[in-house]
Amino acid sequence: MYLFSLIMAELINVYESDLTQEETFSTSPIVGILRYIEQNFATCTQASVAEQFHISQNYVSTLLKKHTGKTYIQTVQAQKLKYAASLLKNTDRPVTEIAGEAGYENVSFFYKKFQQQFGCSPGDYRERR
């Protein structure tokens, strides 16, 4: 019976924690911001995100840093690289084309960021699929 009480107490704590977290997200536009970035990563700017959510650019940065631990630029870069990695795995399109579609105008910069994120070149990443 004692073990059951401990388990129930832990479940209640987890539930209350989840509720608190949901309330935080529902009163903050962070979920919407993240979805917007996910859908518009190739072309969005911090200004366009701020305008979309009727908040200041600084507040966009503050919310992202608070809830994700990443800056605006890091968040967008991560989404671009995630998309590029998916294309590398699932298509045979040229790396330069993938870089452009992911929102990178400078292919050298794309290679550099991809190497930092995944520890290998885009070509090596594709071969590992």
Side-chain angles (χ1 to χ4, degrees), residues 4-107:
F4 179 76
S5 296
L6 287 176
I7 292 170
M8 285 304 293
E10 182 60 29
L11 287 173
I12 291 169
N13 286 340
V14 169
Y15 179 74
E16 288 175 345
S17 175
D18 286 348
L19 279 179
T20 303
Q21 197 171 22
E22 284 178 20
E23 288 170 9
T24 301
F25 283 137
S26 67
T27 59
S28 166
I30 190 65
V31 173
I33 289 170
L34 291 171
R35 284 189 182 138
Y36 182 83
I37 290 171
E38 184 177 45
Q39 294 169 355
N40 300 285
F41 62 87
T43 58
C44 73
T45 63
Q46 193 168 349
S48 69
V49 173
E51 185 177 324
Q52 177 72 24
F53 292 91
H54 309 289
I55 58 178
S56 74
Q57 291 183 44
N58 288 341
Y59 193 52
V60 170
S61 293
T62 300
L63 285 171
L64 286 169
K65 191 70 170 174
K66 178 181 177 184
H67 292 283
T68 69
K70 295 180 181 177
T71 65
Y72 171 78
I73 291 172
Q74 290 170 330
T75 303
V76 172
Q77 290 287 345
Q79 188 59 43
K80 286 179 177 185
L81 293 170
K82 177 182 168 184
Y83 180 71
S86 175
L87 291 177
L88 287 166
K89 281 184 177 179
N90 299 307
T91 71
D92 291 326
R93 294 167 52 192
V95 173
T96 54
E97 188 178 308
I98 289 172
E101 188 171 330
Y104 289 94
E105 294 176 18
N106 183 324
V107 177

Side-chain angles (χ1 to χ4, degrees), residues 107-123:
V107 177
S108 296
F109 185 69
F110 168 71
Y111 272 88
K112 177 183 175 183
K113 289 298 179 182
F114 197 92
Q115 177 77 35
Q116 287 174 347
Q117 178 72 29
F118 296 102
C120 63
S121 71

